[in-house]
Amino acid sequence: MPDVSGSHILIVDDQELNRDMLSTRLKKKGFQVDSAAHGEECLKILDQREPDLIILDWMMPVLSGIDTLKQIRLKYSLSELPVIMATARDQSEDVVEALLHGANDYVTKPIDYPVLLARMNAHLKWRHLAKMKDEFLQIASHDLKNPLCTILGGSQLLQSSCKPGTVMTPDNYDLLTRLTKKAVIMKKIIEDFLDMRALQDGEVHLAKETVSLQELVQQCVSSNLPYAASKRIGLHFSSATSNDQVKIDPGKIMQVLENLISNAIKFSPFDTQVEVEVSDTHQNLLVHVRDQGPGFQEGDLQTLFQKYSKPVNRPTGGEKSSGVGLSISKQLAELHGGSIVAANNEGAAGAVFTLHLPKNTSPCG
């Protein structure tokens, strides 16, 4: 299950002492905490930043907890923003009223902190799973629907034209090849989604071993040669270091390299070059991936590694993307104590991505 300790909690209570005591205890558990003295202040905070959960006092001046809850539910559903009511009014009719108006749960005052913490964790995990479902439905409706329709239509055509015992025609073989490519796209999108969720949930563990970085890079270059050839792009490898031994999880770093190299090909115009080079500094081994594409537009570099970020320039061959590959790559590099830097080429067209990997890394689980 996901670790929710870093979640953003908003405490709404007109008693400063209550806010301070609860805030202190939650911060010790690793939560990010904001507080508001009344309902109107709570709504102003919501206009600026959406918390992960609200602890809302019932009895407040100006705008009561119930009235504040009604306003919250005009904008957020129960799964989007959980609200736990904190009240000294424990009569069943009051509890029913709070739940009917959109409270996810309630605790009575004085607050039993272990009970509150357990209920918070339950609702935060439920919210996390709801967001995961919504994200996958969004991916399914946008990124998976079109290739799935193509696969379905093509397979039906093959079924009708390729009767048992007949020889497959060149046209049907080409159709089968296109269907396979569409299935590969769908598989990559699903794998990216699952990798992103695993990274966010802290469920990725590294199996490190000492390997030759040059050999890994050469493998990734070789695996991308057919893709580059399909766009008449020259894909070249070079090395400027003789000391390329590094302790990493080779599978995870190959995933990063594959993403950087395939991205360079994806955004490169036909009949251009992609250069992949291994070099080193005193502390790091570097992998540079340079293309001759359009480079980055203003604002791209600020959002490039964010989840579902899409640059202004589009793939040159109509390729599809999950929008999370670079975000995954950045997180995998950071798990190794490294980083990825992106920039436009100096004095030339195109962009360069540089993967930094420490020559000596500390063990990571």
Side-chain angles (χ1 to χ4, degrees):
M1 290 297 290
D3 179 12
V4 298
S5 60
S7 300
H8 174 211
I9 310 301
L10 175 57
I11 301 170
V12 188
D13 194 312
D14 62 325
Q15 297 296 318
E16 183 177 3
L17 181 60
N18 292 343
R19 297 195 305 270
D20 290 345
M21 290 179 61
L22 185 54
S23 176
T24 298
R25 299 190 74 171
L26 291 179
K27 286 179 180 178
K28 287 182 178 179
K29 287 292 185 179
F31 291 102
Q32 303 176 57
V33 183
D34 282 331
S35 61
H38 50 76
E40 289 185 346
E41 187 178 356
C42 166
L43 298 177
K44 288 181 181 178
I45 291 174
L46 288 181
D47 288 337
Q48 300 171 358
R49 181 184 180 190
E50 178 186 334
D52 298 308
L53 181 142
I54 296 177
I55 301 171
L56 180 61
D57 186 30
W58 184 303
M59 300 296 292
M60 294 187 296
V62 186
L63 196 65
S64 71
I66 285 292
D67 289 335
T68 303
L69 178 62
K70 292 176 183 178
Q71 293 297 313
I72 292 171
R73 288 293 171 244
L74 292 176
K75 186 176 181 180
Y76 299 100
S77 69
L78 278 80
S79 61
E80 289 173 328
L81 181 53
V83 177
I84 297 177
M85 296 293 293
T87 177
R89 302 169 56 164
D90 59 354
Q91 293 91 343
S92 60
E93 60 269 22
D94 293 329
V95 173
V96 169
E97 182 183 3
L99 296 175
L100 286 176
H101 284 99
N104 297 74
D105 209 337
Y106 77 97
V107 290
T108 56
K109 289 184 172 182
I111 292 176
D112 186 327
Y113 180 70
V115 170
L116 172 64
L117 196 60
R119 294 186 177 186
M120 285 174 55
N121 285 332
H123 289 292
L124 287 168
K125 290 175 180 178
W126 182 67
R127 178 180 184 268
H128 175 88
L129 294 174
K131 289 188 69 175
M132 182 176 175
K133 178 206 69 175
D134 291 342
E135 287 180 2
F136 185 77
L137 289 176
Q138 183 179 14
I139 290 172
S141 63
H142 290 88
D143 298 319
L144 298 181
K145 184 177 180 180
N146 287 340
L148 183 59
C149 289
T150 300
I151 292 171
L152 180 60
S155 60
Q156 290 172 338
L157 180 60
L158 284 175
Q159 188 178 36
S160 63
S161 61
C162 292
K163 301 301 182 182
T166 61
V167 177
M168 179 176 285
T169 66
D171 286 344
N172 283 337
Y173 183 80
D174 289 342
L175 176 58
L176 183 60
T177 300
R178 292 197 298 272
L179 297 184
T180 302
K181 289 181 178 179
K182 291 292 185 181
V184 169
I185 290 172
M186 293 180 66
K187 180 174 179 287
K188 181 65 167 63
I189 290 172
I190 293 171
E191 286 176 344
D192 282 349
F193 173 78
L194 295 176
D195 285 344
M196 176 59 69
R197 302 314 310 185
L199 282 163
Q200 291 180 343
D201 294 347
E203 296 175 356
V204 174
H205 303 283
L206 304 181
K208 289 186 176 182
E209 56 184 280
T210 301
V211 299
S212 164
L213 184 60
Q214 292 185 67
E215 290 182 6
L216 285 187
V217 176
Q218 285 178 309
Q219 289 179 41
C220 293
V221 168
S222 296
S223 69
N224 278 279
L225 285 172
Y227 178 25
S230 72
K231 299 178 72 173
R232 302 190 301 275
I233 291 171
L235 179 57
H236 306 287
F237 168 76
S238 63
S239 178
T241 179
S242 58
N243 180 17
D244 71 329
Q245 298 296 301
V246 64
K247 190 172 184 180
I248 55 174
D249 183 322
K252 298 294 190 295
I253 292 302
M254 284 192 73
Q255 184 177 351
V256 175
L257 294 170
E258 284 280 351
N259 191 278
L260 296 181
I261 294 170
S262 63
N263 257 18
I265 298 170
K266 183 185 300 181
F267 288 92
S268 290
F270 284 62
D271 300 306
T272 57
Q273 305 291 317
V274 172
E275 305 286 344
V276 183
E277 179 189 19
V278 176
S279 67
D280 68 337
T281 64
H282 178 66
Q283 295 181 327
N284 297 306
L285 282 169
L286 311 177
V287 182
H288 313 276
V289 181
R290 297 183 180 87
D291 64 53
Q292 296 175 340
F296 299 111
Q297 299 294 315
E298 185 177 353
D300 280 346
L301 292 173
Q302 283 70 43
T303 61
L304 194 60
F305 294 101
Q306 294 178 7
K307 185 171 63 172
Y308 304 125
S309 172
K310 297 291 179 69
V312 173
N313 295 310
R314 308 306 302 150
T316 53
E319 297 97 329
K320 300 296 183 182
S321 171
S322 65
V324 299
L326 286 177
S327 178
I328 291 171
S329 296
K330 177 177 182 291
Q331 292 179 71
L332 289 176
E334 290 173 349
L335 278 177
H336 285 80
S339 63
I340 300 177
V341 178
N344 285 318
N345 287 322
E346 292 186 11
V352 57
F353 283 85
T354 302
L355 169 64
H356 297 246
L357 290 173
K359 289 181 176 178
N360 296 305
T361 57
S362 58
C364 185

